[in-house]
Amino acid sequence: MSTYPLNQSKAYSERAREVLPGGNSRSTISLDPHSIYVTHGEGSRVFDVDGNSYVDFNNNYTSLILGHANAAVNEAVAAQIALGSAFAFGTVQEIEHAELLTKRIPGFEKIRFMNSGSEAVMNALKAARAFTGRPKIAKCEGAYHGSYDYAEVSLSAGPEHWDKNAPPSVPYSKGTPQGVLDDVVVIPYHDTMAARELLTAQASNLSAVLFDPVASRVGMIPPSAEYIEMLQEFCTEHGVLLIFDEVIAFRLGYLGAQGVYDVTPDLTALGKIIGGGFPVGAVAGSHDAMAVFEAGGGLPHGGTFNANPVTMVAGSATMKAMDEPAFDALNELGEYARASFREAFASHGMTGQVTGQGSLFRIHLTDRPLTDYRSVYPTAEDSARMASLHKHLLAAGHFISTYGMVCLSTETTRDEVDALVADVVDFATA
């Protein structure tokens, strides 16, 4: 249990604002009235500078699938650090991690490592342009794909842009060039007919369709088979590359989201769990599409810490631990959690629902039908209630994302899930 605000965290937050814009290096960790500062993590829990512990249902935004300070990962990292952390040379560790991933996923014929999911999406889109010679990309309204300006277009388009189901290209941040907006075709998520029409109208200019099958801002609502089939058929017919953003979605199963949905995209952007808690990104795909990264292929790509051996050994240790039984058990816990929330909402007559897939889900404090980005988009009342729920859960010793996303790790227990459900019920029925 904790009491919020927290004295030591408050002091650190004031100190941070003196040297860091907004007091941090990631806007996603900002909390009201101030951030929480942690000292360490262990298993399913994190511990703060004020002596409180929290069950971590965020897991560094889905990246820690084995929880905190996993022994096998720590052992691999410690052994590697003793030998060096980064070199301007190739390493065997890079080859071994690449072999592990390419042998697991049928569509991963070649893979290229980098340092974040944002870099992975950026380089996948650059690869598609280099491969096709076309300038434009398509993405779904409201889908988050990291901090690349093209991928950010229409990330948070509000109701003022919803006059018709032909979403405009809306800047996410100030200073976005008009040229960026002009080169992004925005399509509605889950509206197969409207999306096909918009794509077809720009087919000759499109290099890629970028798609996240577990888009958080779209509520983590599973895409329909019809929608995915349309994307595949369109891309095949028009020579457009289909890019799956599995930076988060790769944790849906042993073969990633593409295994769940039986799809082989041309390129896949990866990150988070394949780095075992260290900075990582990767682009994987077919021999032909990945050839643009080769000498003379048209897409030079460097990076001081790309495929550094510490990340490679941490990632390999994690992916070896996540065998098929491990994924099955984790996804079973996710199903248990969603079922428990639905039963609790129904039995207590609560206004709320839960959506999600695998080990991921979102809590929504509304009873309106949720089908797409626009229906999931929070009203002012939704946002206020979620902020109150977040503070309530912090005080009860649970840490979820500020917008209601919950991420499980292999260290999460049913008792911890039950306690989370009980405290959400306590909030809603108070």
Side-chain angles (χ1 to χ4, degrees):
M1 305 291 284
S2 64
T3 302
Y4 200 81
L6 309 168
N7 293 332
Q8 291 300 312
S9 280
K10 180 181 179 182
Y12 277 115
S13 184
E14 291 171 351
R15 179 177 166 186
R17 288 192 183 100
E18 294 296 318
V19 290
L20 298 166
N24 57 63
S25 295
R26 330 165 44 179
S27 58
T28 50
I29 67 166
S30 296
L31 295 175
D32 181 29
H34 58 75
S35 297
I36 293 175
Y37 286 78
V38 300
T39 57
H40 65 288
E42 181 179 345
S44 65
R45 291 182 172 269
V46 292
F47 301 81
D48 72 19
V49 292
D50 286 280
N52 302 297
S53 72
Y54 309 86
V55 177
D56 189 355
F57 287 105
N58 175 287
N59 287 293
N60 195 26
Y61 287 96
T62 80
S63 64
L64 299 172
I65 199 166
L66 299 180
H68 296 276
N70 176 267
V73 174
N74 284 355
E75 181 179 351
V77 168
Q80 179 56 50
I81 286 178
L83 301 174
S85 62
F87 311 99
F89 299 89
T91 68
V92 175
Q93 291 84 349
E94 175 186 10
I95 299 171
E96 291 174 342
H97 198 28
E99 289 173 340
L100 188 159
L101 292 169
T102 56
K103 287 177 180 177
R104 177 176 296 194
I105 310 299
F108 290 6
E109 295 178 341
K110 292 286 181 68
I111 191 167
R112 183 92 172 188
F113 292 109
M114 47 219 64
N115 296 298
S116 71
S118 291
E119 283 186 50
V121 168
M122 176 182 72
N123 282 291
L125 293 176
K126 291 175 69 176
R129 294 194 191 105
F131 183 80
T132 64
R134 301 173 187 170
K136 295 190 177 186
I137 67 157
K139 60 159 291 189
C140 292
E141 182 180 43
Y144 175 73
H145 297 287
S147 58
Y148 186 40
D149 50 6
Y150 290 88
E152 288 180 333
V153 171
S154 294
L155 171 57
S156 60
E160 66 273 19
H161 301 290
W162 296 354
D163 57 328
K164 56 183 178 179
N165 208 14
S169 293
V170 180
Y172 177 63
S173 58
K174 290 183 178 179
T176 301
Q178 184 61 45
V180 169
L181 302 177
D182 293 342
D183 277 342
V184 179
V185 177
V186 183
I187 60 176
Y189 201 98
H190 293 166
D191 188 330
T192 303
M193 183 178 297
R196 182 190 288 112
E197 290 178 357
L198 291 166
L199 290 170
T200 302
Q202 292 287 339
S204 63
N205 294 315
L206 281 174
S207 62
V209 175
L210 176 63
F211 182 69
D212 182 351
V214 66
S216 179
R217 293 193 181 212
V218 190
M220 296 182 165
I221 300 169
S224 68
E226 178 189 36
Y227 194 88
I228 289 183
E229 287 171 7
M230 179 275 295
L231 294 180
Q232 290 178 282
E233 290 171 0
F234 168 81
C235 288
T236 299
E237 180 181 353
H238 296 283
V240 176
L241 297 194
L242 177 60
I243 301 173
F244 262 30
D245 178 352
E246 293 207 37
V247 173
I248 291 175
F250 198 57
R251 65 156 45 229
L252 290 190
Y254 182 74
L255 300 179
Q258 54 203 270
V260 172
Y261 292 105
D262 192 24
V263 176
T264 301
D266 298 289
L267 294 171
T268 301
L270 300 164
K272 298 198 185 284
I273 68 168
I274 69 163
F278 287 79
V280 75
V283 178
S286 67
H287 288 293
D288 289 346
M290 293 296 292
V292 298
F293 288 107
E294 296 179 2
L299 184 57
H301 170 241
T304 303
F305 295 101
N306 289 355
N308 73 81
V310 176
T311 294
M312 295 296 97
V313 298
S316 290
T318 298
M319 298 312 298
K320 288 174 183 176
M322 292 307 300
D323 56 14
E324 292 187 72
F327 272 108
D328 290 344
L330 183 57
N331 289 342
E332 181 182 348
L333 183 62
E335 287 296 328
Y336 172 80
R338 286 185 289 274
S340 297
F341 270 105
R342 290 176 182 131
E343 181 180 351
F345 289 157
S347 62
H348 291 85
M350 293 169 51
T351 299
Q353 55 192 300
V354 63
T355 57
Q357 307 172 61
S359 55
L360 302 164
F361 58 93
R362 274 190 63 174
I363 300 167
H364 309 268
L365 300 178
T366 179
D367 56 5
R368 66 179 178 272
L370 301 178
T371 58
D372 56 14
Y373 167 71
R374 295 181 180 185
S375 59
V376 170
Y377 190 87
T379 65
E381 181 182 358
D382 292 341
S383 296
R385 290 193 69 209
M386 185 57 67
S388 296
L389 171 62
H390 192 265
K391 287 186 177 181
H392 174 84
L393 293 177
L394 277 176
H398 313 286
F399 180 61
I400 69 171
S401 302
T402 54
Y403 52 89
M405 184 195 76
V406 179
C407 168
L408 309 179
S409 77
T410 58
E411 292 291 317
T412 311
T413 67
R414 285 200 174 200
D415 286 346
E416 289 168 341
V417 168
D418 291 341
L420 176 66
V421 173
D423 282 317
V424 171
V425 170
D426 178 65
F427 165 81
T429 57

